[in-house]
Every structure is written in C-alpha cells, then in structure tokens.
Amino acid sequence: MILYFSPLACSMATRIAFYEAGVDAAYVQVDTKKKRTETGVDFLTINPLGQVPALATDDGLTITENAAILQYVADRFPAARLAPPPESAERVRLHQWLCFIGTELHKSLFVALLDAKAPADARAYALEKETSRLGLLEAHLAGREFLLERYSVADAYLVTILNWSAVTPVNLSRFPAVKAYAARLRSRPAIARAFAVEIALYEKERTRELRT
Ligand SMILES: N[C@@H](CCC(=O)N[C@@H](CS)C(=O)NCC(=O)O)C(=O)O
C-alpha cells in the first residue's frame, strides 16, 4: 500500500492509522504546489485535484478523500479496532465526525487561514467559524477521552487538523477541553511517532524551499 502524503498535512491522519495498526506501508512525499511526487511522477495522474492524501491499495484501487481512506484502512485492519463495526450506530457517529472534521474544521475554518494568498476578507470569514465549530467540539469533548467511546481514526484526523492552530490565529486556549484533548492525544505513541517523522520532513522541505 502506498500513501501519497505531504508533511503535517491532513494525510498525516492515515500515517497515524498505519502506525496504530502496525502496517508496513510505503510513503511517497508529494509537493502539492508543484503537483509532483518525490519520485518525479506528475501527481495529477494519481489525484486529478493534486491533493493529498491518496492511497494506492494492494488490490489496485486509488482512493482519495480522508473520510474514505481512513475508513478503508480501519476496515482493512480490523484487529487494530480503529473504527466501530460497519453498520453499527457508533459507525454512523464515526462517519459524522469524519465529515465534520473534513468540512467544518479542515475546509471551512482552516484552509483560508493556512493559505498565505487568501484575501483578508476570506481569512476573517473563516475565523468567524471558530466559536461555533470549536464550541461544538468543546461541548462534546468535555469529560470525554475520545470523539467516540474509544479511540478511532476520527481522533487521528482531528489531532492532525488541530495541530494547524499553531500556525494560524485559531486560539485553542478558548476551548480548554479541546486543547487538553489535543495535548493528551499527542502523547499517544503512534501519534507522537507520526509527528516526529513529519516535523522532520517538513523542516527538511522548508530548508530546501529556502535554498531554491
Ligand atoms: N477533500 C480532501 C481535501 C484534501 C486536502 O485539502 N489536502 C490538502 C492538504 S491538507 C492539499 O493537498 N492541498 C493542496 C491543494 O489543494 O492543492 C480530503 O478530505 O481528503
């Protein structure tokens, strides 16, 4: 299995899922600005949108979209218990949280704040979503360890996205349960390992960009 990723991007959630499941996947780094893989392949031939993550499976599928990839990985390696059983009520909740993270947090709140080329109005509009979106999460996470009854791929995705608050005006101090959750999850071995690997790759990429 090959994960096409970019350091510290949303694709890190799938790396975390692989580490949790003890899967020996291959990782191919993508320059999402140039749309090329580190091996020189035109990434648009793999994902026409040029976005990570993309997952090439051993049986010949290419899957895009975090919600689909994360559930595929969880179902492919059920012993790791990264998702509730298919068709259970908890599985519906997992799907709900994956969609919430992907649309309400990742796209609505964070994308404009991470894009240096986004107009000031777009950034302000995005930041207006902070109170309602993170407020909902705050109410849900107060007194809970994970998004669901137990750890799942939704937590891997959420901790990846919340990390972006460090480089945006999103202020987690206003949401103490969310802040504590993110700090707690970051000490989970698979998550700490994924962060260590991807921070090193991110810094390497930045150094290379500054030199060129
Ligand atoms: N809807 C996609 C969005 C993926 C996405 O936005 N990926 C970002 C990195 S976090 C990306 O590749 N951005 C580069 C681009 O949009 O050109 C998903 O949920 O997987």
Side-chain angles (χ1 to χ4, degrees):
M1 227 168 327
I2 305 170
L3 175 67
Y4 294 91
F5 79 100
S6 178
L8 300 181
C10 53
S11 45
M12 192 173 76
T14 305
R15 180 190 290 274
I16 294 170
F18 281 145
Y19 288 177
E20 298 278 2
V23 175
D24 194 15
Y27 298 88
V28 172
Q29 192 167 330
V30 177
D31 182 331
T32 53
K33 291 194 191 94
K34 295 185 180 150
K35 309 294 181 202
R36 288 203 92 73
T37 71
E38 62 185 325
T39 48
V41 172
D42 176 1
F43 186 55
L44 296 174
T45 62
I46 294 161
N47 179 359
L49 284 183
Q51 294 182 322
V52 291
L55 183 72
T57 72
D58 293 340
D59 41 11
L61 279 177
T62 299
I63 315 174
T64 60
E65 301 296 329
N66 281 291
I69 293 173
L70 290 168
Q71 291 191 79
Y72 174 88
V73 172
D75 289 339
R76 177 84 178 64
F77 304 100
R81 301 183 71 191
L82 296 174
E87 295 181 30
S88 63
E90 269 289 271
R91 184 56 170 259
V92 177
R93 290 280 175 234
L94 172 71
H95 201 171
Q96 176 186 315
W97 281 114
L98 290 171
C99 291
F100 171 81
I101 298 163
T103 58
E104 303 302 334
L105 297 181
H106 182 172
K107 291 293 168 180
S108 297
L109 178 59
F110 279 105
V111 163
L113 301 176
L114 287 166
D115 185 347
K117 285 187 281 178
D121 282 355
R123 297 167 68 82
Y125 182 74
L127 201 53
E128 277 174 20
K129 308 276 190 292
E130 183 191 69
T131 299
S132 58
R133 276 37 173 200
L134 290 181
L136 181 144
L137 209 49
E138 175 71 13
H140 181 74
L141 287 174
R144 281 176 179 270
E145 202 176 346
F146 306 115
L147 281 168
L148 302 178
E149 291 306 311
R150 50 177 295 136
Y151 179 80
S152 74
V153 284
D155 297 299
Y157 191 13
L158 182 55
V159 75
T160 298
I161 272 41
L162 291 176
N163 181 48
W164 300 339
S165 62
V167 291
T168 62
V170 170
N171 181 7
L172 289 193
S173 300
R174 292 183 55 219
F175 308 96
V178 177
K179 192 173 176 184
Y181 161 90
R184 204 168 56 241
L185 281 205
R186 278 190 69 149
S187 65
R188 200 178 160 90
I191 295 179
R193 182 177 158 215
F195 268 107
V197 167
E198 296 221 355
I199 286 169
L201 291 171
Y202 181 81
E203 279 163 5
K204 207 166 145 191
E205 187 180 73
R206 270 179 57 91
T207 311
R208 203 167 40 232
E209 274 173 14
L210 290 173
R211 284 208 189 108
T212 53

